[in-house]
Amino acid sequence: DPALEKHYVPRRSQRTRSVLTFFAEDADSHTLLYANADLSKASQANEVLAFADHWKKVSGRDPGLLIFDSKVTTQKQLAELDDRGIRFLTLRARSPKLTAALHTLPASAWKSLTVARAGSKTRKVKVHEEPAARLTAYPGTVRQLAVAGLGHDEPTILITNDRDRAHKALIERYAQRMNIEQRLAEAIRSFGLDALAGAVPLNVDLDVVLSVLAHTVCAALRRRLPGYATATPDTL
C-alpha cells in the first residue's frame, strides 16, 4: 500500500513499507495487554504517554513503572512522564564520548553484583552509577547505571527517574522487558502476527487487536490448566 511509511524491518534487515506497531506487556503475568498499529513517524514518540493515559483510564491510576526501549520515545516525553510522577526505566544510546568516559573509570568505580535471570540462573555483572547524569534535551537530571557483563562488548546504559530502587532490582526489572519479544514471537508463530491479512492500516490495526485478544485468552486458559502454566499458544 503506497500509504504505508517505510520502517526498518529486522527480519528483512532493510527499510521497507510496513506498519509500525506499539505493544505493552504486563511485567508480572507476561500477558500482552495493549497494542496500537495506528502509528506514524510523527506520532510514535508520544505513544508512551498515550499508553499512560489509557492505563489511567482503565485502572484509575498512572502506571507505577514503565520500562521501554529507547526508540519508543524522546527526552521530551521522558520529562513529561517525570512531571506526571510516572517512573520510567529505559536505555541510553552509547555515544563514543560516553563509552570512552566509562573506559577511563578505575576498577574501584564499579560495583560487583549477581542478578537473577530467567528461571533459576544468575549472572555476575559490574555496575557504575551516576546519580545526576545530564541529557541533551532533558530539563533535569536522571539516575544513570552503566552495567557491564550483560552479554555485550560495551556496558549497557540504563537511565531512570526511580531513585529508590536498588541497582539489582532495576537491572532485573529491565531484563524483564525482553519477555515482550518472546510474547511477540509466540504471536507470530501462533497467530501470524507478521503476516497480517489487512491491506490497509485500518484493517491491520484490527488484526493486531484480535491477535492481542487471542494471546490474552490463551494466557488466561493456561493459568487454569494444571501443568500448562508456561505453555505457548501454539501448544495449547
Side-chain angles (χ1 to χ4, degrees):
D1 191 322
L4 297 180
E5 296 178 328
K6 285 189 175 182
H7 303 286
Y8 179 75
V9 180
R11 292 190 67 174
R12 297 186 180 181
S13 298
Q14 63 179 347
R15 291 173 57 82
T16 186
R17 295 193 184 280
S18 53
V19 175
L20 184 65
T21 308
F22 177 95
F23 290 92
E25 173 190 295
D26 180 75
D28 296 321
S29 67
H30 306 310
T31 303
L32 292 176
L33 48 78
Y34 177 89
N36 183 11
D38 189 22
L39 291 180
S40 66
K41 293 179 180 178
S43 66
Q44 68 182 71
N46 288 315
E47 192 61 19
V48 165
L49 295 172
F51 171 72
D53 292 338
H54 165 79
W55 187 261
K56 187 171 185 178
K57 181 178 179 180
V58 299
S59 70
R61 63 185 185 278
D62 280 322
L65 175 65
L66 288 177
I67 306 170
F68 44 84
D69 187 90
S70 59
K71 295 180 180 180
V72 166
T73 192
T74 67
Q75 294 178 25
K76 176 184 176 182
Q77 281 74 30
L78 293 182
E80 290 190 44
L81 289 174
D82 190 61
D83 288 342
R84 289 176 56 169
I86 300 174
R87 295 185 178 185
F88 62 79
L89 177 61
T90 187
L91 287 177
R92 181 180 182 181
R94 287 191 295 259
S95 66
K97 182 179 179 181
L98 180 58
T99 301
L102 292 174
H103 284 310
T104 63
L105 293 174
S108 58
W110 297 84
K111 179 181 179 181
S112 297
L113 287 176
T114 299
V115 296
R117 299 171 60 191
S120 58
K121 297 180 180 179
T122 59
R123 182 189 291 271
K124 293 184 178 180
V125 300
K126 292 185 178 180
V127 183
H128 169 72
E129 176 176 352
E130 187 175 342
R134 289 201 171 273
L135 307 177
T136 55
Y138 189 81
T141 60
V142 294
R143 183 183 181 190
Q144 177 174 288
L145 302 179
V147 188
L150 290 179
H152 304 287
D153 294 335
E154 300 293 346
T156 299
I157 313 299
L158 300 177
I159 54 174
T160 181
N161 61 347
D162 187 336
R163 302 185 183 278
D164 299 325
R165 283 182 173 86
H167 299 154
K168 178 181 173 69
L170 286 172
I171 296 169
E172 291 177 348
R173 201 66 171 163
Y174 187 81
Q176 289 184 307
R177 189 193 67 82
M178 303 306 293
N179 286 322
I180 197 169
E181 297 182 7
Q182 298 176 28
R183 302 294 86 76
L184 293 178
E186 290 177 7
I188 289 172
R189 189 169 61 247
S190 305
F191 311 122
L193 185 59
D194 64 340
L196 300 171
V200 295
L202 178 62
N203 288 345
V204 170
D205 195 38
L206 176 60
D207 286 350
V208 169
V209 170
L210 291 176
S211 296
V212 172
L213 287 173
H215 191 280
T216 304
V217 169
C218 286
L221 175 61
R222 67 187 177 194
R223 286 196 295 270
R224 289 165 170 79
L225 293 177
Y228 286 85
T230 61
T232 58
D234 53 331
T235 299
L236 293 176

